[in-house]
Amino acid sequence: MTPMTTEQVAEFLEVKVERVRRLARENLLVAKEQDANGEPIFDKADVEKYKELAQRLGGI
């Protein structure tokens, strides 16, 4: 697992951090764990799969 922070995911997906938090809250992008501050940590492979699927469906 290659961990990614919320900020890294936002940069990778080219969206705002708030959008990433909403995706996690709605279980559209599943966090693998949480850091010491309670922020979600995502697996890079999951983020890449989400981006590919979202692009197929018309965008993020």
Side-chain angles (χ1 to χ4, degrees):
M1 177 177 121
T2 304
M4 294 179 76
T5 64
T6 304
E7 291 79 14
Q8 290 170 326
V9 173
E11 184 178 325
F12 181 75
L13 296 177
E14 299 174 356
V15 298
K16 294 181 180 181
V17 172
E18 293 80 20
R19 177 83 185 255
V20 175
R21 289 183 181 133
R22 184 177 62 81
L23 292 171
R25 188 174 56 248
E26 294 175 354
N27 291 322
L28 296 172
L29 189 56
V30 180
K32 294 294 182 184
E33 55 189 73
Q34 291 185 343
D35 67 8
N37 296 326
E39 290 290 323
I41 302 292
F42 302 93
D43 181 16
K44 185 173 183 174
D46 291 344
V47 175
E48 290 170 344
K49 287 177 188 176
Y50 173 79
K51 184 174 183 176
E52 182 181 326
L53 177 64
Q55 288 174 335
R56 285 184 186 176
L57 295 175
I60 295 176

